[in-house]
Amino acid sequence: MAESVSAAYARGLVTLAVARGAERQALLQRADIGADTLEDPDARVALHRYAALMRAAIALTGDPALALHYGESTDISQYSVVGLIGRASATMADAHAQLNRYVRLVVDVETDGDERFRLDQDAEAMWIIDTRRNPNAFPELTESAFAQIICGPRLLGIPPFAKAVQVTHPEPTHAAEYRRVLGAPVAFGARRNAILADPEILAEPVQRLPSYAFGVLTKHADVLLDSLERTATVRSQVERLLMPMLHTGPVRIDTVAAQLNVSRQTLYRRLKAEGVTFAQVLDDLRHRMALDYLTTRKVSVTETAYLVGFSEPAAFSRAFKRWTGRRPRVS
């Protein structure tokens, strides 16, 4: 999958960093993020660019604990429907369930299992476990997530519930700030990223919005989630990159992999996990684009051959017959 965050989430980080002394344009340049992207409510920012943005923000503000402070100070309902759904939930248990359901709208990352924040509970303890894969590659995301989970409810007047915190990354220079922000002892270099919580917190009432708002908000979130799932496949990303390249002639997997900021082998492996190869994706895209040019746009056969990447009309004609069983013609 292509890991990403919502543009609004990235914009919130920029807003905080600028308020703390960073220069906006320098932040965006270091992260290679266009200013227009952050103004588009439906846009996504690749996770590696968001990581670059976070690290640029830390450097330019001189605040090594900026990720903790982002999670501590930011009201998620100000930039995501996910936060509003939380406020419309009846109890903390309901809010947690909705967080797992819709968290990908804010931060979409690979996880071990179906839930990002799994609850492990028995008679004596309850752990909120972050199942994000490879967390130590970007520990700041753990910092902001845990700060948001623990501090967000405080904004609603809900009592503190964290008893202890475990993180897998090594102890940073700003370790003391963890205790202040999270309000609990922190164990670094642990085997998992988890929060030990008071089980009674699940019954705590939350609802700060009218009950009808819950249905309206979740319906909207379902539409957004469906859109995200339809565009989040590696195949869809490859196709979007290929479209403007087709007319240039043969396209190599190495070229596309470089634009996705992954190795050739990684792209091959990710496509294989979706049941396709690069050659199949390219061939199918040429097929669909050729049909569009010939039937909808009324482009000539020779021009269509060129536009979908064939140097010779004869080669295009053979491919078209393989795709459809007939020779190409404008219809």
Side-chain angles (χ1 to χ4, degrees):
M1 65 177 289
E3 298 182 305
S4 66
V5 306
S6 72
Y9 190 66
R11 185 172 67 246
L13 176 60
V14 170
T15 300
L16 176 64
V18 169
R20 296 194 174 209
E23 201 278 314
R24 178 183 173 86
Q25 190 57 34
L27 286 168
L28 299 182
Q29 286 180 346
R30 289 198 187 191
D32 192 23
I33 297 173
D36 291 345
T37 298
L38 298 188
E39 301 308 317
D40 182 352
D42 297 322
R44 305 291 299 182
V45 174
L47 186 66
H48 73 273
R49 286 199 170 93
Y50 178 73
L53 176 66
M54 175 65 78
R55 286 158 187 163
I58 289 170
L60 294 175
T61 61
D63 180 7
L66 188 68
L68 283 170
H69 297 151
Y70 185 35
E72 175 190 26
S73 62
T74 303
D75 181 355
I76 193 173
S77 67
Q78 296 299 310
Y79 58 76
S80 174
V81 68
V82 179
L84 292 171
I85 290 172
R87 289 186 170 223
S89 299
T91 66
M92 283 288 285
D94 297 326
H96 179 81
Q98 300 310 317
L99 173 64
N100 271 325
R101 182 179 177 185
Y102 296 117
V103 67
R104 292 179 56 207
L105 295 177
V106 183
V107 178
D108 190 15
V109 293
E110 292 186 354
T111 60
D112 292 321
D114 296 331
E115 293 183 323
R116 166 74 188 277
F117 299 104
R118 189 179 74 243
L119 287 184
D120 275 8
Q121 185 175 3
D122 56 31
E124 299 181 354
M126 181 180 76
W127 288 93
I128 305 170
I129 302 171
D130 187 348
T131 67
R132 177 168 64 104
R133 292 182 181 176
N134 304 316
N136 289 6
F138 187 18
E140 293 88 351
L141 196 59
T142 300
E143 292 181 338
S144 57
F146 278 14
Q148 179 66 56
I149 289 172
I150 292 173
C151 299
R154 296 178 192 168
L155 300 176
L156 303 178
I158 293 172
F161 60 86
K163 296 181 175 181
V165 175
Q166 298 176 349
V167 294
T168 56
H169 54 268
E171 182 173 331
T173 57
H174 57 282
E177 193 67 356
Y178 275 72
R179 178 62 192 248
R180 186 198 69 77
V181 172
L182 304 181
V186 180
F188 296 96
R191 65 181 179 85
R192 63 184 182 180
N193 291 298
I195 300 168
L196 178 62
D198 183 347
E200 293 184 1
I201 195 66
L202 294 178
E204 186 73 25
V206 174
Q207 195 169 20
R208 301 296 192 275
L209 296 175
S211 56
Y212 76 85
F214 182 84
V216 173
L217 293 167
T218 54
K219 184 176 181 179
H220 177 60
D222 284 335
V223 172
L224 296 176
L225 191 60
D226 180 67
S227 176
L228 176 63
E229 290 174 345
R230 283 188 284 105
T231 60
T233 64
V234 177
R235 177 174 185 155
S236 66
Q237 294 177 73
V238 170
E239 288 182 345
R240 285 198 299 273
L241 291 173
L242 284 174
M243 282 183 185
M245 297 182 190
L246 290 181
H247 73 279
T248 64
V251 182
R252 294 168 54 84
I253 187 173
D254 308 71
T255 304
V256 176
Q259 292 205 27
L260 290 172
N261 203 35
V262 299
S263 68
R264 180 184 186 279
Q265 292 78 9
T266 296
L267 179 55
Y268 173 83
R269 186 174 65 253
R270 290 179 179 177
L271 286 171
K272 184 179 179 181
E274 294 182 1
V276 294
T277 65
F278 180 80
Q280 289 170 333
V281 173
L282 177 59
D283 191 61
D284 184 60
L285 181 62
R286 282 174 162 172
H287 175 196
R288 287 186 282 116
M289 293 301 295
L291 289 175
D292 179 62
Y293 284 129
L294 292 172
T295 62
T296 304
R297 309 187 196 188
K298 310 300 183 181
V299 177
S300 73
V301 171
T302 299
E303 289 174 318
T304 298
Y306 165 75
L307 289 170
V308 298
F310 289 87
S311 58
E312 297 291 337
F316 170 64
S317 183
R318 289 192 296 272
F320 195 89
K321 188 172 183 180
R322 172 171 55 82
W323 293 330
T324 65
R326 57 183 174 83
R327 297 290 181 184
R329 61 183 177 84
V330 180
S331 59

